[in-house]
Amino acid sequence: MKSNKYFPLLLGMIMVACLIIFSFQAHAEENSQDAMKSDKTGTNPINFTYDLRIYNEYQWLNTDGDGYQNITTMEFRAPILDGKWQFRARIRGVALEADINNDGVDDLDDSGFGDSDIRFLTVPYLNMANKMAIAFGMEFFFDTASEDALGLGATSLGPQVFAVFFKPFGGMFDLVAPAYQHKFSVDEDDGRSNIHQGLMDIFILKTSKDKQRWALIDPQAVIDYENDTEFILIDVEVGTMLDNYFGTKGHSVYLRPSIGIGSDRPTDGSMEAGYKIIW
C-alpha cells in the first residue's frame, strides 16, 4: 500500500474541486427539497434542518480480556449558505477500560474528552422525478482527545460521496443510500500511526405511513489500507417520534445496536441510545 501514498491526497483534491464546482450550480428540484423539511425524524441524510442530537454508545471491545468503551456525543447540524450546504459538528466524552492481555489487569483506564469533527455537505443533484440524489461532503477530524488512548492522535480529512434512491424496489423502502468515504491523516502525533482508510456503507430506511416511527439497517465495511486490515459493522436502528406522547414538535428517541464481524474488528458489539430535536 506504500506505493499509493499520494492517492488519498489526489482523491481529496478531486473531491474538493467537485464540491466547489457543484456548489455554484442550482440545486434541482429545490421545491422538493423544501418539502422534505416537514420530515422531523432526522433519518433523511440530505434533509438540511436544524438538528441537535445527544447519544450514548456503549461498546464491548474485541480484546483478550474484558474491555469496554463508553462514548457520549453531542451533535449539531445546521443549513448554511441559503440551505445549499449543511454544517455538522460533533464533540465526545469517552470512558475506556480494557484488559488487553487477559492478565486480570486493566492496561487502559482513562476518561475525558475524545476526538471531535466537523463536516460540510452539499447536494449538487436532486431529481425527485427520477427519485435520486447525489451528495458530496468533506469531513475534518481533529486531535482533541485529553488522553492518548481516547483518540487517534491525528488530524485527518474525510472526503465522501453518496447517492440517495427514494422509494426503490417498488416502494419497499423509503430510501437506500450507498456511500463511500476515504479518510486519511495529514498530521500525526509522534509515535502514532498514519490513518488511511476506506469506509463503505449502505443505509436502508423504512418509516411508518404517519412518519412517526422508523427502522433502518446500516452495514458498514472498513478497509484499513495502512495496516492491511478490514472488518464489518452492522447497525440496526429503531426509533419513534415523541410528539404524540408529550405534545412536543420534532423530538424523537432511538435505539441502535451494532455487531462487529471479522478478526480485525475493534468491537464485538455496541448499544447506542439517542435523543434528537429537529426544527
Side-chain angles (χ1 to χ4, degrees):
M1 296 300 173
K2 298 299 184 181
S3 62
N4 295 326
K5 64 180 180 178
Y6 295 112
F7 175 70
L9 181 59
L10 178 61
L11 179 63
M13 293 173 64
I14 292 173
M15 295 196 70
V16 168
C18 290
L19 286 169
I20 294 172
I21 293 171
F22 284 129
S23 67
F24 289 101
Q25 295 183 357
H27 281 33
E29 304 285 348
E30 287 187 345
N31 291 336
S32 298
Q33 191 174 36
D34 290 340
M36 287 192 296
K37 289 180 172 55
S38 61
D39 177 13
K40 303 298 183 182
T41 63
T43 55
N44 186 338
I46 60 170
N47 188 6
F48 295 172
T49 56
Y50 289 95
D51 185 330
L52 179 64
R53 308 181 184 209
I54 300 175
Y55 45 97
N56 189 85
E57 182 182 13
Y58 185 93
Q59 300 176 338
W60 291 271
L61 301 180
N62 179 27
T63 53
D64 289 338
D66 293 335
Y68 80 88
Q69 183 168 233
N70 192 78
I71 305 173
T72 303
T73 303
M74 179 174 289
E75 176 179 323
F76 175 71
R77 306 184 187 192
I80 59 175
L81 299 177
D82 296 324
K84 290 182 170 58
W85 289 77
Q86 180 197 68
F87 170 77
R88 185 186 73 186
R90 297 187 293 196
I91 58 174
R92 299 172 178 87
V94 182
L96 171 64
E97 187 174 306
D99 175 7
I100 297 176
N101 302 313
N102 197 23
D103 56 5
V105 178
D106 287 334
D107 303 283
L108 298 173
D109 188 1
D110 291 301
S111 61
F113 289 105
D115 289 343
S116 57
D117 61 81
I118 63 173
R119 184 187 71 178
F120 297 92
L121 182 70
T122 189
V123 184
Y125 178 79
L126 173 63
N127 190 320
M128 297 305 290
N130 292 334
K131 299 180 180 180
M132 181 182 176
I134 297 175
F136 288 99
M138 176 63 78
E139 196 162 3
F140 302 83
F141 302 88
F142 302 108
D143 178 17
T144 56
S146 56
E147 302 289 342
D148 288 347
L150 304 181
L152 297 176
T155 299
S156 305
L157 300 180
Q160 64 180 169
V161 59
F162 62 88
V164 181
F165 300 96
F166 298 98
K167 300 294 184 181
F169 309 110
M172 181 182 298
F173 303 107
D174 286 75
L175 63 85
V176 172
Y180 178 76
Q181 182 176 45
H182 199 92
K183 183 178 179 181
F184 57 96
S185 56
V186 294
D187 183 58
E188 306 86 23
D189 292 343
D190 292 339
R192 303 302 290 267
S193 298
N194 294 339
I195 297 173
H196 183 190
Q197 295 178 333
L199 301 94
M200 296 165 282
D201 77 306
I202 181 166
F203 179 90
I204 303 170
L205 172 70
K206 182 68 174 179
T207 62
S208 62
K209 290 183 179 180
D210 60 3
K211 301 298 182 183
Q212 293 295 300
R213 291 166 299 280
W214 68 88
L216 64 86
I217 183 170
D218 186 16
Q220 307 158 52
V222 179
I223 302 174
D224 190 327
Y225 301 110
E226 182 69 23
N227 299 299
D228 195 24
T229 60
E230 57 277 325
F231 58 90
I232 293 173
L233 300 173
I234 299 178
D235 292 2
V236 177
E237 180 179 307
V238 291
T240 182
M241 302 298 297
L242 298 176
D243 301 354
N244 292 339
Y245 302 102
F246 301 111
T248 55
K249 186 176 182 180
H251 292 234
S252 64
V253 293
Y254 68 89
L255 286 175
R256 189 180 181 111
S258 174
I259 186 172
I261 299 174
S263 59
D264 301 319
R265 66 190 185 278
T267 64
D268 293 326
S270 69
M271 176 62 74
E272 178 179 312
Y275 192 98
K276 294 183 286 189
I277 305 173
I278 297 174
W279 65 99

